[in-house]
Amino acid sequence: MKKLLKFGKWAGLGLLAIGILAGLAYAFISLSIEKRMNKQYTFEQETLTGQADKATLVRGEHLATIKGCFECHGTDLSGKVMADDPALGRLVATNLTTGKGGLPADYTAADWMMALRHGVDRRGRPLLFMPSHETTLLAEPDLSALITYCRQVQPVDRKLPETTVGPLVKTLAYFEKMPLLSVEKIDHTRRPEAQLDTTMGVKLGEYLAVSCSGCHQPDFKGGDPLAPGQPPVPDLTRSGQVGKWTQTQFMTTLRTGKTPAGHQLDNEQMPWKMTAHYSDKEIRSLYLYFRSIQ
């Protein structure tokens, strides 16, 4: 009995020590992430000239659709609370209109460039969960079209709470498992391409595939689940299962969310309702690009 009590005592002390170490580790992680979230950046202001003609606005709306702006910020771009959970925190997509609770009336094209090219707000503070590491790779005409479109949307009055980052997100971000701070992933010296090759083919597919790299990895080989309980991320290249699909099967999946095997994809895990808006030329170009990767 004494041996059992002694064992229980040491086991309890061991668990207490583990708890203390885990608490200290998380405290370090939390402080590190908070410091990175509050870092002040300075970049040279940039702006692009563009006219709000019909073609530009149509292109800008298309980009806002296929780049996920509507998915996160809502179809009217007035923002929304995307998640509110003790572990995750409260993740809020900003009201991008000039209505109450949205962007200030003097928010300029240069401020938009700071967000899209560098991942910071007009004061140089990092934007959270903003995929600027993807939008920074847009060519100048597309940046101009996207900004022009977003700046002319109708004001919507919607005041939203501030984003708060929970312990799970901080931990995943610390271990580079979640893209919390896109400002850290960007080559800020890179200038956007002056023109975009819109010819259907591998080059256009490579340009469009940037939006896929966040989940499927930069090499598009997929990997571990993005979150506990989710399936592994598929390999999109020729060596993966998707690489065995025909072009028609690939297009059908991106348009309907239904795989050749008859499985209906969850839009929260694979945003097929967004990819459904790609043009035929864009989907074919993506297919050709992924098939070009061994």
Side-chain angles (χ1 to χ4, degrees):
M1 186 65 178
K2 287 183 179 180
K3 289 183 178 180
L4 186 61
L5 291 172
K6 188 175 181 181
F7 174 79
K9 176 183 176 180
W10 283 109
L13 289 172
L15 290 173
L16 178 61
I18 292 172
I20 291 172
L21 290 173
L24 290 172
Y26 175 70
F28 173 81
I29 288 172
S30 181
L31 288 171
S32 175
I33 292 295
E34 290 285 346
K35 183 178 180 180
R36 289 160 61 186
M37 286 168 53
N38 291 309
K39 184 176 178 179
Q40 199 81 13
Y41 291 86
T42 302
F43 301 111
E44 183 182 348
Q45 282 206 336
E46 303 169 288
T47 189
L48 293 174
T49 57
Q51 296 184 352
D53 54 50
K54 184 176 180 181
T56 299
L57 293 176
V58 168
R59 178 62 179 170
E61 184 177 16
H62 179 65
L63 288 165
T65 303
I66 67 171
K67 292 298 178 181
C69 303
F70 295 139
E71 284 277 319
C72 292
H73 296 274
T75 54
D76 58 3
L77 297 183
S78 65
K80 60 184 177 182
V81 177
M82 301 184 66
D84 196 350
D85 178 88
L88 295 174
R90 185 174 59 233
L91 312 181
V92 181
T94 310
N95 180 350
L96 297 180
T97 78
T98 54
K100 293 178 181 177
L103 301 177
D106 63 347
Y107 198 83
T108 66
D111 294 328
W112 276 99
M113 285 288 282
M114 281 291 175
L116 295 173
R117 287 262 297 119
H118 299 291
V120 297
D121 65 17
R122 66 197 309 199
R123 288 177 285 180
R125 299 179 308 180
L127 298 173
L128 306 181
F129 291 109
M130 168 63 189
S132 305
H133 56 293
E134 297 176 7
T135 55
T136 193
L137 299 176
L138 289 171
E140 284 188 7
D142 278 352
L143 279 168
S144 182
L146 182 57
I147 291 170
T148 300
Y149 172 77
C150 290
R151 294 189 73 198
Q152 60 82 55
V153 297
Q154 292 298 308
V156 179
D157 295 338
R158 177 168 293 161
K159 294 184 178 181
L160 294 162
E162 293 288 327
T163 289
T164 59
V165 180
L168 179 58
V169 169
K170 287 182 179 179
T171 303
L172 291 174
Y174 182 81
F175 290 105
E176 303 296 330
K177 298 296 184 181
M178 185 168 284
L180 178 66
L181 300 164
S182 62
V183 65
E184 298 178 348
K185 301 176 179 293
I186 295 171
D187 176 5
H188 299 282
T189 64
R190 179 190 175 277
R191 290 290 307 165
E193 297 290 335
Q195 296 296 328
L196 169 64
D197 185 351
T198 59
T199 305
M200 187 186 81
V202 170
K203 190 170 182 180
L204 177 59
E206 182 179 12
Y207 177 75
L208 295 166
V210 170
S211 298
C212 310
S213 63
C215 294
H216 293 275
Q217 304 302 319
D219 61 0
F220 304 103
K221 294 289 186 180
D224 296 333
L226 296 176
Q230 291 188 4
V233 179
D235 180 347
L236 300 181
T237 71
R238 275 194 299 169
S239 59
Q241 183 62 39
V242 176
K244 298 177 175 61
W245 295 352
T246 66
Q247 187 178 95
T248 299
Q249 290 173 329
F250 183 79
M251 293 183 71
T252 299
T253 302
L254 264 62
R255 286 270 164 74
T256 67
K258 184 168 286 189
T259 70
H263 174 65
Q264 184 64 49
L265 298 172
D266 183 345
N267 186 66
E268 295 298 316
Q269 297 173 12
M270 166 57 199
W272 62 268
K273 291 182 181 179
M274 180 183 75
T275 59
H277 293 278
Y278 277 100
S279 67
D280 286 354
K281 179 175 72 173
E282 288 171 332
I283 295 181
R284 289 185 180 125
S285 295
L286 278 171
Y287 178 79
L288 292 172
Y289 173 61
F290 292 140
R291 286 295 297 271
S292 74
I293 305 171
Q294 183 59 48

